[in-house]
Amino acid sequence: RRDGVVVKSEDVFLTSGASEAVEMLMRILIRSKNDAVLVPIPQYPLYSALTTAMDGHFAGYHMGDETGWELDMGEVRKALFQARSDGKIVRA
């Protein structure tokens, strides 16, 4: 129990660090060169590196301090539309 959240032990997945966890998740998500992942820009470089290494498609959407780093659904929709227009399957 932490921060008022109750978690069952069978719902916890341990890794040796955040990078390993991200890599494991990306391996599940990216099955082929037609799979795309939506990622905010600026982004943690591990996301683009793993997407490239796994032959996936990096579909970036922009965020910035001019909007207070809030999620702009218009930017997400634009990235989603572009990826789909390129024949990609957006998996996350």
Side-chain angles (χ1 to χ4, degrees), residues 12-35:
V12 176
F13 189 82
L14 297 177
T15 65
S16 63
S19 294
E20 180 186 355
V22 170
E23 182 175 351
M24 292 175 85
L25 182 60
M26 295 290 260
R27 287 190 185 283
I28 292 168
L29 294 172
I30 300 173
R31 303 166 302 182
S32 77
K33 65 180 179 175
N34 291 320
D35 287 338

PDB file of all heavy atoms in Angstrom, residues 12-35:
ATOM      1  N   VAL A  12       1.996  -6.750  -9.817  1.00  0.00           N
ATOM      2  CA  VAL A  12       3.270  -6.036  -9.799  1.00  0.00           C
ATOM      3  C   VAL A  12       4.280  -6.803 -10.653  1.00  0.00           C
ATOM      4  O   VAL A  12       4.403  -8.027 -10.544  1.00  0.00           O
ATOM      5  CB  VAL A  12       3.805  -5.882  -8.360  1.00  0.00           C
ATOM      6  CG1 VAL A  12       5.179  -5.240  -8.353  1.00  0.00           C
ATOM      7  CG2 VAL A  12       2.823  -5.074  -7.521  1.00  0.00           C
ATOM      8  N   PHE A  13       4.988  -6.061 -11.518  1.00  0.00           N
ATOM      9  CA  PHE A  13       6.009  -6.651 -12.370  1.00  0.00           C
ATOM     10  C   PHE A  13       7.318  -5.941 -12.087  1.00  0.00           C
ATOM     11  O   PHE A  13       7.424  -4.734 -12.284  1.00  0.00           O
ATOM     12  CB  PHE A  13       5.622  -6.481 -13.850  1.00  0.00           C
ATOM     13  CG  PHE A  13       6.501  -7.236 -14.783  1.00  0.00           C
ATOM     14  CD1 PHE A  13       6.291  -8.582 -15.019  1.00  0.00           C
ATOM     15  CD2 PHE A  13       7.537  -6.603 -15.431  1.00  0.00           C
ATOM     16  CE1 PHE A  13       7.100  -9.282 -15.890  1.00  0.00           C
ATOM     17  CE2 PHE A  13       8.358  -7.290 -16.304  1.00  0.00           C
ATOM     18  CZ  PHE A  13       8.140  -8.637 -16.528  1.00  0.00           C
ATOM     19  N   LEU A  14       8.308  -6.673 -11.607  1.00  0.00           N
ATOM     20  CA  LEU A  14       9.583  -6.078 -11.231  1.00  0.00           C
ATOM     21  C   LEU A  14      10.608  -6.219 -12.353  1.00  0.00           C
ATOM     22  O   LEU A  14      10.658  -7.246 -13.029  1.00  0.00           O
ATOM     23  CB  LEU A  14      10.136  -6.741  -9.967  1.00  0.00           C
ATOM     24  CG  LEU A  14       9.303  -6.590  -8.700  1.00  0.00           C
ATOM     25  CD1 LEU A  14       9.942  -7.358  -7.563  1.00  0.00           C
ATOM     26  CD2 LEU A  14       9.131  -5.132  -8.342  1.00  0.00           C
ATOM     27  N   THR A  15      11.411  -5.176 -12.537  1.00  0.00           N
ATOM     28  CA  THR A  15      12.529  -5.202 -13.475  1.00  0.00           C
ATOM     29  C   THR A  15      13.747  -4.621 -12.756  1.00  0.00           C
ATOM     30  O   THR A  15      13.624  -4.059 -11.668  1.00  0.00           O
ATOM     31  CB  THR A  15      12.248  -4.377 -14.747  1.00  0.00           C
ATOM     32  OG1 THR A  15      12.116  -3.002 -14.389  1.00  0.00           O
ATOM     33  CG2 THR A  15      10.982  -4.846 -15.450  1.00  0.00           C
ATOM     34  N   SER A  16      14.895  -4.704 -13.402  1.00  0.00           N
ATOM     35  CA  SER A  16      16.104  -4.173 -12.779  1.00  0.00           C
ATOM     36  C   SER A  16      16.236  -2.668 -12.950  1.00  0.00           C
ATOM     37  O   SER A  16      17.178  -2.068 -12.460  1.00  0.00           O
ATOM     38  CB  SER A  16      17.342  -4.875 -13.335  1.00  0.00           C
ATOM     39  OG  SER A  16      17.450  -4.623 -14.715  1.00  0.00           O
ATOM     40  N   GLY A  17      15.298  -2.052 -13.666  1.00  0.00           N
ATOM     41  CA  GLY A  17      15.326  -0.601 -13.836  1.00  0.00           C
ATOM     42  C   GLY A  17      14.298  -0.149 -14.857  1.00  0.00           C
ATOM     43  O   GLY A  17      13.684  -0.960 -15.553  1.00  0.00           O
ATOM     44  N   ALA A  18      14.137   1.160 -14.972  1.00  0.00           N
ATOM     45  CA  ALA A  18      13.142   1.727 -15.886  1.00  0.00           C
ATOM     46  C   ALA A  18      13.462   1.405 -17.339  1.00  0.00           C
ATOM     47  O   ALA A  18      12.562   1.092 -18.126  1.00  0.00           O
ATOM     48  CB  ALA A  18      13.054   3.231 -15.683  1.00  0.00           C
ATOM     49  N   SER A  19      14.731   1.461 -17.721  1.00  0.00           N
ATOM     50  CA  SER A  19      15.102   1.190 -19.122  1.00  0.00           C
ATOM     51  C   SER A  19      14.743  -0.233 -19.517  1.00  0.00           C
ATOM     52  O   SER A  19      14.232  -0.469 -20.613  1.00  0.00           O
ATOM     53  CB  SER A  19      16.596   1.432 -19.343  1.00  0.00           C
ATOM     54  OG  SER A  19      16.889   2.801 -19.169  1.00  0.00           O
ATOM     55  N   GLU A  20      14.989  -1.175 -18.634  1.00  0.00           N
ATOM     56  CA  GLU A  20      14.625  -2.559 -18.928  1.00  0.00           C
ATOM     57  C   GLU A  20      13.111  -2.703 -19.067  1.00  0.00           C
ATOM     58  O   GLU A  20      12.619  -3.411 -19.955  1.00  0.00           O
ATOM     59  CB  GLU A  20      15.127  -3.502 -17.837  1.00  0.00           C
ATOM     60  CG  GLU A  20      14.765  -4.959 -18.115  1.00  0.00           C
ATOM     61  CD  GLU A  20      15.130  -5.902 -16.988  1.00  0.00           C
ATOM     62  OE1 GLU A  20      15.748  -5.478 -15.999  1.00  0.00           O
ATOM     63  OE2 GLU A  20      14.787  -7.094 -17.109  1.00  0.00           O
ATOM     64  N   ALA A  21      12.365  -2.038 -18.216  1.00  0.00           N
ATOM     65  CA  ALA A  21      10.909  -2.098 -18.280  1.00  0.00           C
ATOM     66  C   ALA A  21      10.393  -1.511 -19.590  1.00  0.00           C
ATOM     67  O   ALA A  21       9.508  -2.087 -20.236  1.00  0.00           O
ATOM     68  CB  ALA A  21      10.303  -1.356 -17.086  1.00  0.00           C
ATOM     69  N   VAL A  22      10.949  -0.383 -20.007  1.00  0.00           N
ATOM     70  CA  VAL A  22      10.538   0.243 -21.264  1.00  0.00           C
ATOM     71  C   VAL A  22      10.857  -0.685 -22.430  1.00  0.00           C
ATOM     72  O   VAL A  22      10.035  -0.876 -23.338  1.00  0.00           O
ATOM     73  CB  VAL A  22      11.214   1.622 -21.452  1.00  0.00           C
ATOM     74  CG1 VAL A  22      10.978   2.163 -22.849  1.00  0.00           C
ATOM     75  CG2 VAL A  22      10.710   2.601 -20.406  1.00  0.00           C
ATOM     76  N   GLU A  23      12.040  -1.284 -22.415  1.00  0.00           N
ATOM     77  CA  GLU A  23      12.415  -2.193 -23.506  1.00  0.00           C
ATOM     78  C   GLU A  23      11.480  -3.395 -23.575  1.00  0.00           C
ATOM     79  O   GLU A  23      11.049  -3.793 -24.659  1.00  0.00           O
ATOM     80  CB  GLU A  23      13.855  -2.669 -23.356  1.00  0.00           C
ATOM     81  CG  GLU A  23      14.278  -3.568 -24.503  1.00  0.00           C
ATOM     82  CD  GLU A  23      15.731  -3.971 -24.453  1.00  0.00           C
ATOM     83  OE1 GLU A  23      16.497  -3.442 -23.631  1.00  0.00           O
ATOM     84  OE2 GLU A  23      16.096  -4.842 -25.262  1.00  0.00           O
ATOM     85  N   MET A  24      11.146  -3.962 -22.447  1.00  0.00           N
ATOM     86  CA  MET A  24      10.232  -5.109 -22.435  1.00  0.00           C
ATOM     87  C   MET A  24       8.868  -4.723 -22.998  1.00  0.00           C
ATOM     88  O   MET A  24       8.278  -5.459 -23.796  1.00  0.00           O
ATOM     89  CB  MET A  24      10.093  -5.661 -21.023  1.00  0.00           C
ATOM     90  CG  MET A  24      11.364  -6.300 -20.516  1.00  0.00           C
ATOM     91  SD  MET A  24      11.247  -6.816 -18.798  1.00  0.00           S
ATOM     92  CE  MET A  24      10.504  -8.416 -19.029  1.00  0.00           C
ATOM     93  N   LEU A  25       8.383  -3.562 -22.612  1.00  0.00           N
ATOM     94  CA  LEU A  25       7.094  -3.098 -23.111  1.00  0.00           C
ATOM     95  C   LEU A  25       7.140  -2.836 -24.612  1.00  0.00           C
ATOM     96  O   LEU A  25       6.233  -3.223 -25.353  1.00  0.00           O
ATOM     97  CB  LEU A  25       6.670  -1.835 -22.356  1.00  0.00           C
ATOM     98  CG  LEU A  25       5.314  -1.264 -22.727  1.00  0.00           C
ATOM     99  CD1 LEU A  25       4.211  -2.272 -22.475  1.00  0.00           C
ATOM    100  CD2 LEU A  25       5.060   0.012 -21.958  1.00  0.00           C
ATOM    101  N   MET A  26       8.216  -2.211 -25.081  1.00  0.00           N
ATOM    102  CA  MET A  26       8.351  -1.932 -26.516  1.00  0.00           C
ATOM    103  C   MET A  26       8.415  -3.231 -27.324  1.00  0.00           C
ATOM    104  O   MET A  26       7.877  -3.317 -28.422  1.00  0.00           O
ATOM    105  CB  MET A  26       9.575  -1.074 -26.782  1.00  0.00           C
ATOM    106  CG  MET A  26       9.494   0.308 -26.176  1.00  0.00           C
ATOM    107  SD  MET A  26       8.294   1.356 -26.970  1.00  0.00           S
ATOM    108  CE  MET A  26       9.373   2.295 -28.011  1.00  0.00           C
ATOM    109  N   ARG A  27       9.060  -4.262 -26.786  1.00  0.00           N
ATOM    110  CA  ARG A  27       9.128  -5.552 -27.475  1.00  0.00           C
ATOM    111  C   ARG A  27       7.741  -6.178 -27.608  1.00  0.00           C
ATOM    112  O   ARG A  27       7.459  -6.877 -28.572  1.00  0.00           O
ATOM    113  CB  ARG A  27      10.074  -6.511 -26.763  1.00  0.00           C
ATOM    114  CG  ARG A  27      11.518  -6.140 -26.944  1.00  0.00           C
ATOM    115  CD  ARG A  27      12.465  -7.231 -26.450  1.00  0.00           C
ATOM    116  NE  ARG A  27      13.833  -6.784 -26.545  1.00  0.00           N
ATOM    117  CZ  ARG A  27      14.544  -6.728 -27.665  1.00  0.00           C
ATOM    118  NH1 ARG A  27      13.992  -7.082 -28.807  1.00  0.00           N
ATOM    119  NH2 ARG A  27      15.789  -6.302 -27.660  1.00  0.00           N
ATOM    120  N   ILE A  28       6.885  -5.927 -26.650  1.00  0.00           N
ATOM    121  CA  ILE A  28       5.506  -6.416 -26.726  1.00  0.00           C
ATOM    122  C   ILE A  28       4.711  -5.620 -27.759  1.00  0.00           C
ATOM    123  O   ILE A  28       3.947  -6.183 -28.540  1.00  0.00           O
ATOM    124  CB  ILE A  28       4.822  -6.326 -25.344  1.00  0.00           C
ATOM    125  CG1 ILE A  28       5.465  -7.322 -24.378  1.00  0.00           C
ATOM    126  CG2 ILE A  28       3.324  -6.559 -25.445  1.00  0.00           C
ATOM    127  CD1 ILE A  28       5.081  -7.120 -22.925  1.00  0.00           C
ATOM    128  N   LEU A  29       4.908  -4.305 -27.780  1.00  0.00           N
ATOM    129  CA  LEU A  29       4.125  -3.435 -28.650  1.00  0.00           C
ATOM    130  C   LEU A  29       4.541  -3.486 -30.118  1.00  0.00           C
ATOM    131  O   LEU A  29       3.692  -3.453 -31.004  1.00  0.00           O
ATOM    132  CB  LEU A  29       4.218  -1.985 -28.161  1.00  0.00           C
ATOM    133  CG  LEU A  29       3.579  -1.695 -26.812  1.00  0.00           C
ATOM    134  CD1 LEU A  29       3.917  -0.287 -26.362  1.00  0.00           C
ATOM    135  CD2 LEU A  29       2.076  -1.894 -26.880  1.00  0.00           C
ATOM    136  N   ILE A  30       5.845  -3.535 -30.383  1.00  0.00           N
ATOM    137  CA  ILE A  30       6.327  -3.453 -31.763  1.00  0.00           C
ATOM    138  C   ILE A  30       6.590  -4.863 -32.281  1.00  0.00           C
ATOM    139  O   ILE A  30       7.552  -5.511 -31.905  1.00  0.00           O
ATOM    140  CB  ILE A  30       7.596  -2.589 -31.858  1.00  0.00           C
ATOM    141  CG1 ILE A  30       7.286  -1.180 -31.360  1.00  0.00           C
ATOM    142  CG2 ILE A  30       8.119  -2.563 -33.288  1.00  0.00           C
ATOM    143  CD1 ILE A  30       8.501  -0.282 -31.253  1.00  0.00           C
ATOM    144  N   ARG A  31       5.688  -5.313 -33.171  1.00  0.00           N
ATOM    145  CA  ARG A  31       5.798  -6.651 -33.729  1.00  0.00           C
ATOM    146  C   ARG A  31       6.377  -6.639 -35.130  1.00  0.00           C
ATOM    147  O   ARG A  31       6.911  -7.639 -35.588  1.00  0.00           O
ATOM    148  CB  ARG A  31       4.418  -7.301 -33.768  1.00  0.00           C
ATOM    149  CG  ARG A  31       3.744  -7.370 -32.399  1.00  0.00           C
ATOM    150  CD  ARG A  31       2.293  -7.703 -32.518  1.00  0.00           C
ATOM    151  NE  ARG A  31       1.650  -6.685 -33.366  1.00  0.00           N
ATOM    152  CZ  ARG A  31       0.368  -6.645 -33.647  1.00  0.00           C
ATOM    153  NH1 ARG A  31      -0.430  -7.560 -33.188  1.00  0.00           N
ATOM    154  NH2 ARG A  31      -0.123  -5.684 -34.403  1.00  0.00           N
ATOM    155  N   SER A  32       6.210  -5.503 -35.831  1.00  0.00           N
ATOM    156  CA  SER A  32       6.701  -5.418 -37.207  1.00  0.00           C
ATOM    157  C   SER A  32       6.957  -3.957 -37.561  1.00  0.00           C
ATOM    158  O   SER A  32       6.626  -3.052 -36.801  1.00  0.00           O
ATOM    159  CB  SER A  32       5.672  -6.003 -38.176  1.00  0.00           C
ATOM    160  OG  SER A  32       4.598  -5.092 -38.385  1.00  0.00           O
ATOM    161  N   LYS A  33       7.512  -3.738 -38.749  1.00  0.00           N
ATOM    162  CA  LYS A  33       7.807  -2.369 -39.199  1.00  0.00           C
ATOM    163  C   LYS A  33       6.541  -1.553 -39.412  1.00  0.00           C
ATOM    164  O   LYS A  33       6.595  -0.335 -39.542  1.00  0.00           O
ATOM    165  CB  LYS A  33       8.637  -2.406 -40.473  1.00  0.00           C
ATOM    166  CG  LYS A  33       7.909  -3.009 -41.654  1.00  0.00           C
ATOM    167  CD  LYS A  33       8.766  -3.023 -42.883  1.00  0.00           C
ATOM    168  CE  LYS A  33       7.980  -3.663 -44.021  1.00  0.00           C
ATOM    169  NZ  LYS A  33       8.661  -3.624 -45.268  1.00  0.00           N
ATOM    170  N   ASN A  34       5.389  -2.202 -39.416  1.00  0.00           N
ATOM    171  CA  ASN A  34       4.125  -1.490 -39.591  1.00  0.00           C
ATOM    172  C   ASN A  34       3.512  -1.028 -38.275  1.00  0.00           C
ATOM    173  O   ASN A  34       2.499  -0.340 -38.280  1.00  0.00           O
ATOM    174  CB  ASN A  34       3.125  -2.359 -40.350  1.00  0.00           C
ATOM    175  CG  ASN A  34       3.537  -2.558 -41.787  1.00  0.00           C
ATOM    176  OD1 ASN A  34       4.014  -1.623 -42.428  1.00  0.00           O
ATOM    177  ND2 ASN A  34       3.392  -3.758 -42.290  1.00  0.00           N
ATOM    178  N   ASP A  35       4.116  -1.414 -37.160  1.00  0.00           N
ATOM    179  CA  ASP A  35       3.599  -0.994 -35.857  1.00  0.00           C
ATOM    180  C   ASP A  35       4.188   0.360 -35.468  1.00  0.00           C
ATOM    181  O   ASP A  35       5.383   0.598 -35.622  1.00  0.00           O
ATOM    182  CB  ASP A  35       3.944  -2.027 -34.786  1.00  0.00           C
ATOM    183  CG  ASP A  35       3.110  -3.288 -34.914  1.00  0.00           C
ATOM    184  OD1 ASP A  35       2.020  -3.231 -35.513  1.00  0.00           O
ATOM    185  OD2 ASP A  35       3.547  -4.333 -34.414  1.00  0.00           O
TER     186      ASP A  35
END
